[in-house]
Amino acid sequence: MSPADLQPIVARWLPTQRWFAGKGRTSTVEVALLAEMSSLVSIWTALVRYEDGTSEFYQLPLVAHGKPVDHLDHVLLGSFDVDGAP
């Protein structure tokens, strides 16, 4: 998973979270890998910058799966193709 893959997913997902403080504000999101815990688990950061010059910083623990997992639909951020394969 690369920042380029994850950035648009996080940018769409963050405003849907009840704890996201920037609801209704125009922003840009920059994601960066903080740590890889295993081949599936990683910790990412999301820097949210607002038009008024303020910003917020979020830490996102993520788990990557090769295929959808039905019982985890409620926590799905999104999906992307890897090397041209869905």
Side-chain angles (χ1 to χ4, degrees):
M1 184 170 8
S2 75
D5 295 325
L6 192 57
Q7 186 278 329
I9 294 170
V10 170
R12 283 189 303 271
W13 174 80
L14 274 175
T16 68
Q17 302 308 297
R18 66 173 174 74
W19 43 261
F20 180 62
K23 287 184 179 65
R25 297 173 70 189
T26 302
S27 64
T28 60
V29 177
E30 179 182 329
V31 295
L33 179 63
L34 180 63
E36 289 204 31
M37 309 308 286
S38 72
S39 61
L40 297 178
V41 179
S42 54
I43 310 291
W44 290 79
T45 58
L47 176 59
V48 181
R49 291 190 172 110
Y50 300 102
E51 288 182 335
D52 65 4
T54 60
S55 62
E56 296 168 341
F57 195 70
Y58 295 92
Q59 185 173 324
L60 308 171
L62 301 177
V63 177
H65 291 276
K67 295 190 273 186
V69 180
D70 290 339
H71 69 276
L72 295 176
D73 281 346
H74 66 288
V75 292
L76 178 68
L77 265 69
S79 62
F80 58 90
D81 291 346
V82 177
D83 296 328

